[in-house]
Amino acid sequence: MAYRNEDNQAAVLADFAKLGHVVIGQRVIRACSYELLFAYLVAVVANINFSNGRFSILLALVSTRTVGYTVASYLVGLAVLLVHAQLFQTTRSPHSSHFPKLQRLLRSPTSTGTAIGAYVAMSCFMMVVHGRMFGGHTTRMWLYPEGSYGPPQLNPAWLASWVLATMLGCCYGAQLIMNERLQLSFPAVEQSRVYALKDRLPGGFSQALGFTFGVLWKFWVGYLVLGWFIYRSVSGVLARVITTSSYGMSNPLFSLSGLAFWLLSGTLTALTWELTHRMFEIVATGPTLINELSPDRNACLLNGLKHTDNQLIQHLAYQELYRLTMFDAEKRKELLTDIDRPAGTMWRQVSEQCMGVIKTATDQLRAQNPTKESKASGSPKLPANLATVPVQTRAGGAPMKDILLQNRKAGQAPALAPAPAPAPARPAVAAQDLFGPEAQGLEKYVLTTLRDTLLQSPVGQHILMRSLCARSTTALSNFQLQVWAVRSLMRLVECSIKEDSFGVVQKDIALVLSTLFAYLAELERGVASHSDSMGSGDYTVQTTNRQALAMIQVVRNSLYTFTTSFYVYLEALKLPQDLSRQLQLFANFQA
């Protein structure tokens, strides 16, 4: 039963949002303490000097340079935490473009600019720190050739270091947005933070090293094409402003020491970013018993399920509901037997929230998957030999009905305009709405311009046709929320056989099943409509959505579990005929 205190209602704290914000604040503080450990780890790695022999790691642990680098790395880590706390997402950004990464980059120019600008600033800061520590002649601004006491020469390696730092920050910030890495991934089961982080540390090291290698080779390709001309131009401008030479005679740009410095600096910077990113993701999404902090924990949980102002709060509430229904029999039974609520039983209110998520996704799928009749119906085609008369609403400032009346009085027939020349045929892909209603503003303009440009050449048309598999479904943007809603709802129904003492679930089973069957039908229809094969010869390319297929399996597994649990009582439920027919397929294991 619910924990209620009629004498002191003000003392009952049942606001999941307020408690959730307190918990999130505690997690951020905990993340800052964890970040100090990561900063020290990166500092030790940066200061290992193998020339010290067997004591190289021990000396790196207590070196004063390690302390200084720890402070710098910690400041960068705090900046990363601040950026991620402002820009994180819990749902995927829906797109219907043939270029999803570009569309994500254009979706929110403010977030994209903030991420890229912040990472460029952090990259330049770390370049200064690394230059002070082990940059050597690579990060000196001026060159003084041996035996020459003339004017100083601009160091091309110094200029390249800043270009590389800027490119490193731009690429990392852009890939966070394009690959949706700012979207938080919630764990399916409860596990310790140390265990979760242990599995991600090797991936963080490899990701940082691979990212730095990728940026370096892209930088060298750009340098070989444009870099030398840019360097000569900058040197020429500086030569006019101050007394310098416009050409560096001893050029360290191609030295091994310069390459080693850039690789080490980029890897350490990317490693700091990567470890902080993975740590924030683990700490922010870890399961916490927020509803346990309230005396009325059922009402507190329901308040969180209804909270739509903050996506993270709502996800934490559904995460708690999923954990409660799956692994906590005592609290699950307490939820099912909580029937003395003014707004209805707790089962009714929780099931309405879960079914609301499912019904919203069903309606979105139904809108995105037009029926065959609507596809076949359209504007009727005119016969080819019928001249087309353009409809004009005004002519010379007078309405068309007035002009027709004047012509009738004068005994003249209205003049018909000549039939326009037939427009040249455009490819079928040009008539498609490639971007959907969610694309607006700058995003819509850039993507439309890109599409029209590609349509001008056969190669561009081929790129458009081959990239159909990049399209996604808007209804599955909150995929994790739908998974939790389906599994939690059906788990409560499944356990109601033994734990529902008052029979509050049995009368709603038909409504729950009809909601799930409608959702499953739209998912299967959506997959079928997007499964047009592409390719040549005997090979075909499947263009269905992975999340839609995964969601179909989630719904089917839930229905099979229900059928197995209620197998003996299916006939006693007296379901409508259409539901019985569909459920019979699951009873026969033919669905």
Side-chain angles (χ1 to χ4, degrees):
M1 301 294 288
Y3 295 94
R4 304 184 66 185
N5 187 354
E6 300 292 348
D7 298 330
N8 190 9
Q9 288 288 342
V12 177
L13 182 59
D15 191 343
F16 193 96
K18 292 182 180 179
L19 294 176
H21 283 296
V22 172
V23 172
I24 292 174
Q26 295 174 352
R27 292 181 179 183
V28 172
I29 296 175
R30 194 177 299 116
C32 293
S33 61
Y34 293 157
E35 177 57 33
L36 184 60
L37 297 177
F38 284 120
Y40 180 71
L41 173 64
V42 176
V44 171
V45 174
N47 287 278
I48 293 178
N49 187 359
F50 292 102
S51 61
N52 296 325
R54 68 181 66 180
F55 301 105
S56 56
I57 298 180
L58 182 61
L59 292 176
L61 292 175
V62 297
S63 172
T64 56
R65 295 178 60 183
T66 301
V67 177
Y69 193 92
T70 300
V71 174
S73 180
Y74 184 63
L75 293 176
V76 172
L78 292 181
V80 172
L81 289 177
L82 180 62
V83 171
H84 285 221
Q86 295 293 327
L87 301 181
F88 76 89
Q89 297 177 348
T90 56
T91 59
R92 289 189 176 275
S93 180
H95 64 85
S96 53
S97 169
H98 288 224
F99 308 97
K101 293 186 177 181
L102 178 61
Q103 189 169 6
R104 297 186 193 118
L105 204 61
L106 299 171
R107 177 60 52 85
S108 178
T110 303
S111 300
T112 302
T114 301
I116 293 178
Y119 277 99
V120 168
M122 288 184 282
S123 180
C124 293
F125 173 74
M126 293 302 291
M127 182 62 69
V128 173
V129 174
H130 294 152
R132 296 277 186 177
M133 291 182 58
F134 38 77
H137 62 273
T138 304
T139 55
R140 288 204 306 259
M141 184 175 180
W142 305 107
L143 287 179
Y144 296 90
E146 287 188 26
S148 174
Y149 299 94
Q153 303 163 2
L154 183 66
N155 186 358
W158 171 85
L159 183 63
S161 298
W162 290 109
V163 174
L164 182 62
T166 303
M167 186 175 177
L168 190 74
C170 289
C171 291
Y172 196 88
Q175 64 94 19
L176 284 178
I177 302 294
M178 291 189 298
N179 297 332
E180 293 185 313
R181 299 195 63 204
L182 290 176
Q183 182 200 8
L184 297 179
S185 299
F186 292 83
V189 295
E190 185 173 359
Q191 55 185 0
S192 66
R193 294 186 178 94
V194 176
Y195 180 80
L197 187 62
K198 174 179 67 66
D199 295 337
R200 303 195 189 192
L201 279 178
F205 276 93
S206 61
Q207 175 81 12
L209 187 60
F211 173 78
T212 307
F213 267 117
V215 173
L216 272 177
W217 78 259
K218 293 174 185 176
F219 166 75
W220 278 109
V221 170
Y223 175 78
L224 293 176
V225 177
L226 299 173
W228 189 250
F229 300 100
I230 296 176
Y231 165 68
R232 293 299 301 273
S233 301
V234 174
S235 299
V237 172
L238 288 178
R240 292 180 177 274
V241 177
I242 57 178
T243 304
T244 65
S245 174
S246 61
Y247 183 78
M249 296 188 62
S250 58
N251 188 355
L253 187 61
F254 301 100
S255 64
L256 294 178
S257 60
L259 292 175
F261 166 73
W262 290 323
L263 181 59
L264 179 61
S265 174
T267 301
L268 292 175
T269 302
L271 183 62
T272 304
W273 295 342
E274 193 67 27
L275 294 181
T276 305
H277 165 74
R278 294 173 183 263
M279 182 266 298
F280 173 79
E281 185 180 39
I282 294 174
V283 173
T285 60
T288 302
L289 305 179
I290 299 178
N291 60 336
E292 294 293 329
L293 303 176
S294 171
D296 193 349
R297 55 193 180 196
N298 284 345
C300 180
L301 180 61
L302 181 62
N303 177 270
L305 298 178
K306 295 179 179 179
H307 191 75
T308 57
D309 296 336
N310 189 312
Q311 293 181 348
L312 181 56
I313 296 295
Q314 190 180 35
H315 271 67
L316 292 178
Y318 274 94
Q319 187 184 43
E320 286 206 28
L321 177 64
Y322 175 75
R323 182 196 57 81
L324 182 151
T325 56
M326 287 291 180
F327 309 112
D328 198 329
E330 179 182 355
K331 295 175 184 176
R332 183 177 61 235
K333 184 177 181 180
E334 176 187 315
L335 188 146
L336 290 174
T337 55
D338 188 355
I339 60 175
D340 57 342
R341 296 282 177 175
T345 63
M346 187 56 61
W347 150 256
R348 174 62 62 86
Q349 298 182 68
V350 170
S351 63
E352 285 178 353
Q353 296 302 317
C354 293
M355 285 192 289
V357 174
I358 301 172
K359 289 179 180 178
T360 300
T362 304
D363 294 339
Q364 291 176 342
L365 283 170
R366 188 175 292 115
Q368 294 176 5
N369 302 327
T371 59
K372 296 181 179 180
E373 289 77 6
S374 62
K375 287 184 178 181
S377 62
S379 57
K381 296 183 179 180
L382 297 176
N385 57 356
L386 181 62
T388 305
V389 181
V391 179
Q392 300 178 2
T393 57
R394 290 187 176 271
M400 177 59 71
K401 62 178 182 180
D402 296 339
I403 297 177
L404 290 176
L405 182 59
Q406 293 175 4
N407 291 336
R408 188 177 294 111
K409 290 180 178 179
Q412 300 176 359
L416 298 179
R426 300 187 68 189
V429 70
Q432 300 179 10
D433 183 10
L434 304 183
F435 316 118
E438 65 273 5
Q440 301 294 334
L442 177 65
E443 175 190 354
K444 184 79 170 181
Y445 172 76
V446 173
L447 295 176
T448 304
T449 304
L450 178 61
R451 179 195 62 183
D452 294 341
T453 303
L454 291 175
L455 287 174
Q456 303 301 321
S457 64
V459 176
Q461 297 176 22
H462 179 72
I463 294 176
L464 285 176
M465 295 303 298
R466 292 295 298 176
S467 60
L468 283 171
C469 57
R471 307 186 68 180
S472 71
T473 307
T474 306
L476 296 172
S477 57
N478 59 341
F479 174 79
Q480 182 66 73
L481 207 65
Q482 295 178 38
V483 172
W484 283 335
V486 171
R487 287 182 172 174
S488 301
L489 182 65
M490 293 306 293
R491 179 63 174 173
L492 288 174
V493 174
E494 174 193 348
C495 297
S496 65
I497 292 183
K498 298 180 180 179
E499 300 174 1
D500 183 11
S501 305
F502 302 100
V504 296
V505 177
Q506 276 72 24
K507 57 184 179 181
D508 293 331
I509 288 181
L511 178 61
V512 173
L513 291 178
S514 62
T515 302
L516 282 184
F517 277 122
Y519 184 38
L520 180 60
E522 292 300 329
L523 283 170
E524 293 176 340
R525 192 159 63 90
V527 168
S529 63
H530 290 84
S531 61
D532 300 328
S533 60
M534 299 170 56
S536 59
D538 298 331
Y539 297 95
T540 58
V541 179
Q542 191 177 21
T543 61
T544 52
N545 190 285
R546 293 181 300 170
Q547 289 184 329
L549 292 173
M551 185 58 70
I552 288 175
Q553 294 302 318
V554 170
V555 177
R556 284 180 177 173
N557 291 341
S558 300
L559 290 172
Y560 270 119
T561 304
F562 167 81
T563 306
T564 305
S565 302
F566 280 79
Y567 189 83
V568 182
Y569 309 100
L570 289 179
E571 186 176 357
L573 292 177
K574 299 187 181 302
L575 298 174
Q577 186 176 4
D578 56 340
L579 288 180
S580 300
R581 188 183 306 110
Q582 297 179 73
L583 203 60
Q584 186 64 46
L585 296 176
F586 287 88
N588 298 336
F589 293 95
Q590 296 177 352

